[in-house]
Amino acid sequence: QVQLVESGGGLVQIGGSLRLSCAASGSIFSINAMDWYRQAPGKQRELVASSTRYTTTTYPDSVKGRFSISRDNAKNTVYLQMNNLKPEDTAVYYCKIGRSWGQGLQVIVSS
């Protein structure tokens, strides 16, 4: 009933930037949590950033100061701005809005 569409991933050079977006549609009621996760090859999925209607938080020390989360509640959309990308940021990025998960976006950071 809730569909999430992610966009903005791809191949980027070290030091480059990407902005991921995730838009929700369907049966949505009073969305609070909008979050981003990522899973690198051979590693477990980790929470990258989370948001409520009034707060934003980034979690791993490795992304603090480089990543930021924002949202447009009117559009039911959450964004992840990623700056100064590093090879260790290579992963599949998943948004989570409410109880729903996106399909995953591949982000590859290379020289």
Side-chain angles (χ1 to χ4, degrees):
Q1 291 184 318
V2 177
Q3 299 84 41
L4 305 184
V5 179
E6 295 176 291
S7 63
L11 180 66
V12 65
Q13 294 179 333
I14 295 172
S17 298
L18 287 174
R19 189 183 74 157
L20 309 183
S21 64
C22 176
S25 63
S27 300
I28 304 170
F29 299 94
S30 189
I31 293 174
N32 289 314
M34 293 185 176
D35 308 316
W36 286 97
Y37 293 74
R38 69 182 182 183
Q39 187 166 21
K43 297 185 180 295
Q44 66 182 34
R45 188 173 299 184
E46 66 175 345
L47 177 63
V48 177
S50 64
S51 70
T52 68
R53 294 186 67 87
Y54 304 107
T55 64
T56 61
T57 307
T58 54
Y59 289 91
D61 289 339
S62 61
V63 310
K64 290 181 178 178
R66 299 188 299 116
F67 290 11
S68 63
I69 187 171
S70 62
R71 57 195 280 170
D72 185 335
N73 292 306
K75 297 181 178 180
N76 294 321
T77 300
V78 63
Y79 306 92
L80 183 67
Q81 180 67 46
M82 305 187 294
N83 298 323
N84 191 24
L85 284 161
K86 302 177 179 181
E88 54 263 39
D89 297 319
T90 295
V92 177
Y93 286 73
Y94 300 87
C95 64
K96 184 182 179 186
I97 298 179
R99 304 176 185 89
S100 301
W101 290 87
Q103 77 280 6
L105 274 175
Q106 180 70 64
V107 172
I108 300 174
V109 184
S110 68
S111 60

